[in-house]
Amino acid sequence: MDGKQRLRERMSQPGPILVGGAHDGLTAKLVEEAGFDAVWASGFEISASHCVPDANILTMEDQLRAASWMVKAADIPVIADCDNGYGNAINVIHMVEAYEQAGIAAICIEDNVFPKRCSFYAGVKRELAPVEEHAGKVRAFLETRKSDDFMVIARTEALIAGWGMEEALKRGRAYADAGADFVLVHSKSSEPDEVLGFAERWDRDTPLVCVPTIYKKATAGQLYEGGYQIMIYANHGLRSGIKAQREAFARIVKEQHCSAVDDLVVPKTDVYDLIGVPRMKQEEHDFMPSGGQEVGAVILAAGASPELGELTADKPKAMLDVKGKTILGHQTDALNAAGIKDISVVVGYKKEAVDVPSIKTFAADETKGEMASLMEAASVLDRRTLVLYGDILFDQEMVERLLNTEGDVVLVVDRSDIEGRPNRDLVHTLNGQSGSGQRFLKGTRFDTLERIGNGLDGANGEWIGMMMLSANGAEALRALYADLGAAGGGAVHQAESLDKAALTDLLQAMVDKGLTVNTIDTYKGWMEIDTFEDYQRAWAQLK
Ligand code: SPV
Ligand code: MG
């Protein structure tokens, strides 16, 4: 149901319909939150919020824009104050089209001439449009609206202008007879007698609307009993806001510090909830590349690489140049492109050669294993973290696919032909299949790790040296490392000691402990630089 249908539905139910004045999306939201049935997009409030009199100084576009934000902000119907229709019946026709399109539930047009004067401004010139002219605007509305649920409140200012009860009744009847959905009779009497007297003499079926601003003690129940179905509380949000803001501003200027107004302000989180920050966070999660602030990366680049001889005599492998950029540079580019900006590198061997200003470094003992290296960066594993070796080349898409998985520990596994790779980190997963004919690249298959290790027999994939840890996954890994240390730090899986353990050793220990380690598949799309031949291949193949 849209706003106009909801208003129709509410009209068919008994009881007074309470409408609260607003001037923007936020105040409309507060009107809704308080439990009003509908929002009044008040000309008085919208004008005041622009710091101009309510005198047709703002244009229709100005008022419509404000009302449209209200439609967006609140789920309850929005009834728009359209003054005198911003001109004659021709203006009304264009106005009706625009307001209906904007999702407004009903509009209100009053029989002031253009330019209008607010009903309450004392001592200003006040004129009313001829009754036929205003009835013509009502007919123009009815001819123009597309949906019968879009309604018009025809308002007479006869009592405000001092033209008397007979004139008010004559005008109300003329507008009802022209087909108005409601008639609003406005009064600035301090008692409700005037509007109640009008209702007593009302002899049409058209329901009545009132604005009890001046006869402010009259309750909604009393007015309902007296013949009014809708009560508009037109400007109390604005006026209470001015009072509260005045007090807060004055206190800050006096005290010269803003904690002086702690008791006057809502927490910022209250604002966040009102304006939809939680929803925005969910949308970021659902529709944007994962990563961003909440995901970090740790690159393990502490080990020496004797296989590469002279090439790494003065630097770690991660600092090798591949087509004008270091391996580390290629890695950080791919990570950055996937939204991961917070990158740490664990350095050891020739650590002075790793000089990248935007990257945090942690120093590790190069003679120890990768797991000991990772633990040097334990302080940044308090959130989702991508952990990778410093000698692999990969693209942004690989990172994004990993970011889009769920699971506490998720490894990327290459299923392409693994035969002839005896010294690599091989895996066996529950359902995985390897083979050169397999094309797994597109549909990321999620699987469960059973075994992992260097040169594993019966493997069905190769771990590429990249994994995603959730904060929980990292904590489980850290706790296991601590437990194994407390138990003496002896052999772990294929490692002679905990100090020498590779990540694969700890991952196998996790699985052995009954913890779940998951995998996603890739089919090539990455390169590891282990040997001189790998390095040559990287130069030849990297685009
Ligand atoms: C408004 O809120 O702009 C109204 C109601 O039209 S009143 O200010 O009472 O005229
Ligand atoms: Mg108004």
Side-chain angles (χ1 to χ4, degrees):
M1 266 205 281
D2 62 14
K4 52 187 185 299
Q5 290 161 334
R6 277 201 294 272
L7 186 59
R8 267 267 188 245
E9 158 94 5
R10 179 64 189 80
M11 273 178 70
S12 64
Q13 293 158 15
I17 298 174
L18 270 57
V19 183
H23 54 268
D24 57 15
L26 179 61
T27 45
K29 188 83 187 163
L30 291 170
V31 165
E32 175 176 40
E33 190 186 73
F36 282 95
D37 296 296
V39 176
W40 169 248
S42 160
F44 179 104
E45 284 209 11
I46 298 169
S47 296
S49 73
H50 289 74
C51 210
V52 295
D54 181 12
N56 282 139
I57 292 167
L58 293 187
T59 65
M60 182 202 86
E61 285 293 342
D62 296 328
Q63 305 254 52
L64 175 58
R65 189 172 307 122
S68 299
W69 282 111
M70 299 182 206
V71 172
K72 186 168 185 298
D75 283 332
I76 54 174
V78 175
I79 301 173
D81 175 5
C82 292
D83 294 337
N84 36 30
Y86 310 103
N88 60 25
I90 307 306
N91 299 80
V92 167
I93 287 169
H94 291 279
M95 181 196 83
V96 172
E97 288 171 351
Y99 274 71
E100 185 167 15
Q101 208 162 27
I104 304 290
I107 62 154
C108 176
I109 44 175
E110 66 204 30
D111 53 10
N112 271 317
V113 294
F114 184 96
K116 67 161 285 182
R117 294 291 178 261
C118 167
S119 309
F120 301 134
Y121 296 164
V124 300
K125 201 160 166 270
R126 196 171 298 287
E127 283 169 53
L128 298 188
V131 63
E132 299 76 20
E133 182 183 322
H134 199 60
K137 290 182 185 176
V138 171
R139 286 189 288 103
F141 172 93
L142 298 171
E143 281 300 309
T144 308
R145 72 174 168 189
K146 292 200 172 68
S147 162
D148 288 351
D149 290 327
F150 185 41
M151 291 181 281
V152 62
I153 300 172
R155 158 171 163 180
T156 180
E157 294 284 289
L159 296 176
I160 297 281
W163 289 21
M165 184 63 79
E166 294 311 318
E167 182 69 17
L169 280 163
K170 182 179 109 187
R171 285 176 173 259
R173 288 178 186 127
Y175 307 154
D177 295 346
D181 298 285
F182 299 91
V183 165
L184 188 162
V185 57
H186 205 5
S187 160
K188 58 182 178 191
S189 168
S190 58
E191 296 299 327
D193 306 13
E194 200 171 46
V195 289
L196 292 174
F198 179 97
E200 218 162 87
R201 293 181 60 191
W202 185 240
D203 50 7
R204 299 292 192 272
D205 291 335
T206 311
L208 295 175
V209 181
C210 62
V211 186
T213 306
I214 308 296
Y215 43 100
K216 56 191 175 193
K217 292 216 171 115
T219 65
Q222 183 185 1
L223 294 163
Y224 182 69
E225 290 304 318
Y228 288 86
Q229 190 178 17
I230 295 183
M231 291 92 217
I232 299 175
Y233 297 91
N235 49 45
H236 301 85
L238 177 94
R239 288 163 61 202
S240 56
I242 291 173
K243 184 171 182 195
Q245 287 164 25
R246 232 182 219 149
E247 189 179 347
F249 291 154
R251 219 190 267 177
I252 293 171
V253 169
K254 179 161 177 258
E255 306 288 341
Q256 303 274 302
H257 64 96
C258 57
S259 70
V261 296
D262 277 352
D263 60 324
L264 298 182
V265 298
V266 297
K268 292 195 299 302
T269 46
D270 193 351
V271 182
Y272 304 162
D273 289 345
L274 280 166
I275 64 179
V277 174
R279 175 183 144 178
M280 185 183 78
K281 278 193 188 155
Q282 184 62 42
E283 288 164 347
E284 275 184 1
H285 174 266
D286 291 348
F287 306 119
M288 292 177 63
S290 321
Q293 302 299 313
E294 288 165 19
V295 182
V298 173
I299 300 172
L300 301 176
S305 319
E307 318 79 33
L308 288 166
E310 274 303 298
L311 278 174
T312 55
D314 59 351
K315 52 176 155 327
K317 234 193 303 189
M319 296 309 282
L320 274 182
D321 179 277
V322 181
K323 290 198 162 167
K325 205 190 286 178
T326 62
I327 297 175
L328 189 58
H330 286 289
Q331 291 186 326
T332 53
D333 282 356
L335 292 168
N336 285 168
I340 300 180
K341 311 283 185 213
D342 200 347
I343 301 170
S344 305
V345 185
V346 184
V347 291
Y349 172 74
K350 301 290 176 197
K351 57 177 177 281
E352 57 289 344
V354 182
D355 184 17
V356 185
S358 61
I359 289 182
K360 242 184 252 140
T361 53
F362 292 92
D365 179 345
E366 67 192 73
T367 64
K368 290 190 179 176
E370 296 145 355
M371 190 58 206
S373 276
L374 179 60
M375 286 301 107
E376 292 296 341
S379 63
V380 295
L381 299 179
D382 56 346
R383 58 193 154 148
R384 226 174 157 215
T385 307
L386 193 77
V387 176
L388 57 143
Y389 289 154
D391 61 357
I392 54 173
L393 292 168
F394 51 89
D395 59 17
Q396 166 192 353
E397 199 227 335
M398 176 99 61
V399 179
E400 281 171 356
R401 287 172 54 220
L402 198 47
L403 284 168
N404 287 326
T405 58
E406 285 180 5
D408 286 328
V409 184
V410 185
L411 315 186
V412 182
V413 164
D414 188 347
R415 301 292 190 179
S416 62
D417 37 8
I418 59 160
E419 290 79 25
R421 302 181 180 191
N423 297 321
R424 313 285 285 241
D425 290 336
L426 301 180
V427 300
H428 187 270
T429 63
L430 191 60
N431 303 307
Q433 288 179 315
S434 77
S436 51
Q438 303 285 345
R439 290 275 160 187
F440 292 120
L441 188 59
K442 289 296 165 208
T444 295
R445 285 211 329 195
F446 203 63
D447 204 350
T448 305
L449 183 72
E450 290 187 326
R451 289 183 293 127
I452 185 165
N454 196 268
L456 190 77
D457 280 340
N460 56 15
E462 176 184 359
W463 180 38
I464 74 162
M466 181 189 283
M467 69 175 169
M468 181 64 82
L469 296 177
S470 70
N472 287 341
E475 177 50 28
L477 193 58
R478 197 203 54 73
L480 180 59
Y481 184 75
D483 288 350
L484 292 171
V492 188
H493 189 38
Q494 297 174 321
E496 66 194 38
S497 69
L498 184 60
D499 266 355
K500 295 279 183 195
L503 293 183
T504 50
D505 297 315
L506 267 285
L507 289 166
Q508 184 64 55
M510 283 184 99
V511 172
D512 293 345
K513 231 186 130 199
L515 299 168
T516 302
V517 174
N518 292 111
T519 62
I520 59 165
D521 293 349
T522 188
Y523 179 84
K524 300 187 176 164
W526 65 289
M527 279 181 246
E528 181 179 12
I529 296 161
D530 237 359
T531 62
F532 188 68
E533 289 69 39
D534 291 336
Y535 185 53
Q536 281 180 315
R537 198 175 314 119
W539 269 86
Q541 291 181 2
L542 195 76
K543 293 193 187 82

